[in-house]
Amino acid sequence: MGHEAQNIFLRKPHLLPPFDAHAHTHALKLVCTKMQLLHTPSSSTLPFHFSNSQPRGRHERPALVSFRDIAWSSITTKAASVQASASAVSSQTAEIDVLKSLSQIIDPDFGTDIVSCGFVKDLNVNKALGEVSFRLELTTPACPVKDMFEQKANEVVTALPWVKRVSVTMSARPAKPVYAGNLPENLQTISNIIAVSSCKGGVGKSTVAVNLAYTLAGMGARVGIFDADVYGPSLPTMVSPENRLLEMNPEKRTIIPTEYLGIKLISFGFAGQGRAVMRGPMVSGVINQLLTTTEWGELDYLVIDMPPGTGDIQLTLCQVIPLTAAVIVTTPQKLAFIDVAKGVRMFSKLKVPCVAVVENMCHFDADGKRYYPFGRGSGSQVVEQFGIPHLFELPIRPTLSASGDSGVPEVVADPQGEIASTFQELGICVVQQCAKICQQVSTAVAYDKGMKAIRVKVPDSDEEFYLHPATVRRNDRSAKSVDEWTGEQKLQYADVPEDIEPEEIRPMGNYAVSITWADGFSQIAPYDQLQTMERLIDVPTLI
């Protein structure tokens, strides 16, 4: 699966010189004819003849080269050149044949072929020996169709008449987020950050987060779990790492995560202080420190177990890091739907796509019948009302509850069971949806110094427009510019000079950009607000 499409045709077909087999054969015959002519026994057929054995005085004259030798050398050089040219053309044609064959394989998520997606790397073709080797570089090692890609690639290339041997290797792109340069250093090698949220306690959110993480790891991904609930951390109960205390790197002053079954773990519960007793602003600082100073290393997915609610912690997480996607957890009760709906709206405002809904404790089977003790329809209602594409149902199972208390996730304890099968489907959904999200063109906000304008590209659209920097600054809605109680405009039009320029523009999660101006003022501008501002017309005239 893939990110941006790349043109991997090393030599474009329409730039190749036409290969005329008849002309090539005629040239070789002509060379052979001249070779026979030059090797006739009689030298009288040649217009000139030089002797190479006439001494002069005491010094012997250097041997002279006959015209026959000169002509022969020239012709053999030309013959080698013709053969090399023919070999190069043949190699180019062979490469194109291989790429055409591979372009028959369509990525089911992107709807385009693997060549256009840029998956084919290190193509090496030896037509004379009938050997072809290449590498398929996918966007994630957890790609659910990687085996199909490998099998199909072998089949379509082997079908070429001149191919005798095919070597296909599989790999994944290095972990790197879309905005790596604008993130804290320790988060710059994490490809996807998944929030598991419910905005309501007791619905099994931590159970879903932990089992999803271990499912992704079972699919081949490098995974970490961040327990963002400082008041009631669940991770120490649900996993059983040997080292149950976080360690500090004294030189870098960074946190070394603990591990269990290959997954990196961070929780306030591993800090040796149990549950926190502190006010909201302090909790936000703790969350920020734990997340940004941890040595996560390269991860394909970081699963964040979000705390209940829509307050400081949630907003801090969404502002510090660009969340790739969110998974919503609910239960069948109407009360759960009301709280979950608030969380979905929060993610919508912050431009975090919700890719799946997990309805926990849906039903149980007894005496050959299925019972729904908490009613039905909460998950379906979330899907229908908010347009979230996928719904997964988890039954009431004693083993699922027991695994959460034993320290061994259910998908690890029973990898072939029904629960593990449901989480496998959820894991495939998350992988596919994250790949699509990363493939899409993200909102881009940048300052063009030549035009002296701020360029904005609207997400999921080809629309692009320009804003005057002074207009953006005058539309600041922070407390410094607008009275929070009366709504009175404190920043006046004349307070902002016409030639003001931004010094830095960087993303704030997925919903806004932070703009630092030349006078030191810092402004947060949501993408939705930028779309409503007065736009510049005929921007090229500003150059």
Side-chain angles (χ1 to χ4, degrees):
M1 304 181 65
H3 267 317
E4 60 275 350
Q6 300 177 1
N7 180 9
I8 65 160
F9 285 88
L10 301 181
R11 304 170 181 88
K12 297 183 178 180
H14 64 275
L15 296 181
L16 290 174
F19 179 67
D20 190 336
H22 176 74
H24 176 60
T25 304
H26 177 72
L28 290 178
K29 287 182 177 179
L30 180 61
V31 170
C32 293
T33 302
K34 291 187 177 181
M35 288 165 57
Q36 292 175 354
L37 176 64
L38 290 172
H39 279 79
T40 53
S42 174
S43 62
S44 60
T45 55
L46 298 178
F48 303 99
H49 177 72
F50 295 95
S51 172
N52 60 353
S53 60
Q54 296 179 3
R56 293 271 182 105
R58 295 171 55 189
H59 302 284
E60 188 175 9
R61 187 176 180 181
L64 299 176
V65 180
S66 69
F67 179 79
R68 180 187 308 181
D69 295 333
I70 296 174
W72 170 250
S73 174
S74 174
I75 292 175
T76 53
T77 301
K78 290 181 180 179
S81 177
V82 170
Q83 291 176 346
S85 177
S87 176
V89 171
S90 177
S91 177
Q92 293 172 11
T93 306
E95 287 185 8
I96 295 171
D97 289 343
V98 172
L99 293 173
K100 284 182 178 179
S101 297
L102 291 173
S103 65
Q104 301 174 50
I105 305 174
I106 305 299
D107 187 294
D109 298 316
F110 300 147
T112 187
D113 64 271
I114 62 173
V115 176
S116 299
C117 286
F119 293 170
V120 183
K121 305 289 185 182
D122 303 334
L123 177 60
N124 188 13
V125 177
N126 189 327
K127 190 171 183 179
L129 298 177
E131 295 180 350
V132 177
S133 65
F134 55 89
R135 177 169 56 91
L136 294 182
E137 184 183 73
L138 308 179
T139 58
T140 170
C143 175
V145 292
K146 57 186 176 184
D147 293 336
M148 182 272 286
F149 280 161
E150 184 175 6
Q151 178 184 350
K152 289 288 187 182
N154 266 300
E155 290 177 359
V156 297
V157 177
T158 304
L160 292 172
W162 55 269
V163 173
K164 299 177 181 178
R165 182 175 177 272
V166 179
S167 175
V168 184
T169 56
M170 306 296 291
S171 66
R173 294 176 183 174
K176 186 178 180 181
V178 178
Y179 301 114
N182 301 293
L183 288 174
E185 182 179 356
N186 291 324
L187 300 179
Q188 292 185 12
T189 52
I190 302 175
S191 293
N192 301 278
I193 303 178
I194 314 299
V196 178
S197 175
S198 67
C199 296
K200 181 176 178 59
V203 300
K205 172 179 49 56
S206 297
T207 299
V208 172
V210 170
N211 281 278
L212 172 61
Y214 280 90
T215 298
L216 293 172
M219 295 170 66
R222 297 163 293 183
V223 185
I225 304 177
F226 180 68
D227 184 357
D229 194 345
V230 172
Y231 293 119
S234 303
L235 196 58
T237 305
M238 304 192 73
V239 295
S240 306
E242 290 186 10
N243 185 6
R244 301 187 64 83
L245 288 176
L246 299 175
E247 297 180 358
M248 178 74 73
N249 185 329
E251 297 180 359
K252 299 181 180 179
R253 300 189 64 82
T254 53
I255 300 171
I256 302 174
T258 187
E259 291 191 22
Y260 177 60
L261 300 179
I263 291 185
K264 297 181 179 181
L265 310 169
I266 288 290
S267 172
F268 189 76
F270 293 134
Q273 301 182 29
R275 300 168 187 263
V277 180
M278 60 183 74
R279 295 186 181 275
M282 294 181 63
V283 172
S284 297
V286 170
I287 290 294
N288 192 3
Q289 182 181 7
L290 286 173
L291 180 62
T292 60
T293 62
T294 294
E295 295 180 8
W296 292 108
E298 286 198 4
L299 295 181
D300 300 298
Y301 302 93
L302 175 61
V303 178
I304 299 184
D305 182 5
M306 300 280 283
T310 55
D312 288 343
I313 298 176
Q314 291 79 7
L315 294 175
T316 297
L317 287 170
C318 292
Q319 290 176 350
V320 170
I321 56 175
L323 296 174
T324 307
V327 174
I328 306 300
V329 183
T330 185
T331 53
Q333 300 100 315
K334 182 179 180 181
L335 182 61
F337 169 78
I338 294 173
D339 287 344
V340 167
K342 292 190 296 184
V344 175
R345 293 190 184 98
M346 176 193 73
F347 285 122
S348 177
K349 289 182 179 179
L350 298 176
K351 305 300 182 187
V352 178
C354 298
V355 297
V357 174
V358 178
E359 188 174 13
N360 194 20
M361 297 179 281
C362 289
H363 53 75
F364 68 90
D365 298 329
D367 302 326
K369 296 182 180 179
R370 177 158 290 185
Y371 298 90
Y372 297 86
F374 302 120
R376 304 177 68 177
S378 173
S380 300
Q381 193 173 356
V382 174
V383 170
E384 294 172 4
Q385 183 166 333
F386 297 102
I388 301 174
H390 302 95
L391 173 64
F392 301 89
E393 296 183 349
L394 290 175
I396 300 173
R397 288 288 174 84
T399 55
L400 184 58
S401 175
S403 65
D405 297 333
S406 67
V408 181
E410 174 70 4
V411 297
V412 176
D414 185 13
Q416 304 300 324
E418 181 185 356
I419 299 297
S421 177
T422 302
F423 275 105
Q424 182 75 15
E425 294 175 5
L426 175 61
I428 291 174
C429 170
V430 168
V431 169
Q432 292 175 334
Q433 295 300 314
C434 287
K436 288 181 180 179
I437 292 168
C438 293
Q439 184 78 355
Q440 294 172 351
V441 179
S442 302
T443 299
V445 180
Y447 180 62
D448 191 314
K449 292 185 177 181
M451 297 182 178
K452 295 190 179 300
I454 295 176
R455 178 178 56 82
V456 180
K457 185 168 179 126
V458 179
D460 302 324
S461 170
D462 293 331
E463 182 185 10
E464 184 176 271
F465 57 88
Y466 290 83
L467 302 173
H468 195 287
T471 301
V472 176
R473 174 63 181 276
R474 288 169 183 144
N475 277 273
D476 176 54
R477 306 303 298 171
S478 68
K480 293 182 179 181
S481 302
V482 179
D483 190 292
E484 293 183 281
W485 295 101
T486 65
E488 179 184 356
Q489 186 73 33
K490 294 161 60 175
L491 179 68
Q492 301 301 314
Y493 187 94
D495 295 339
V496 178
E498 286 293 324
D499 59 351
I500 193 169
E501 294 184 80
E503 283 193 343
E504 181 186 20
I505 300 178
R506 62 183 181 86
M508 289 285 292
N510 293 333
Y511 79 102
V513 290
S514 173
I515 306 175
T516 302
W517 298 95
D519 58 2
F521 182 77
S522 182
Q523 175 184 355
I524 295 178
Y527 296 137
D528 289 344
Q529 184 188 14
L530 292 174
Q531 288 183 255
T532 63
M533 295 182 188
E534 182 181 2
R535 304 178 183 184
L536 288 171
I537 303 176
D538 297 331
V539 177
T541 60
L542 297 177
I543 299 177

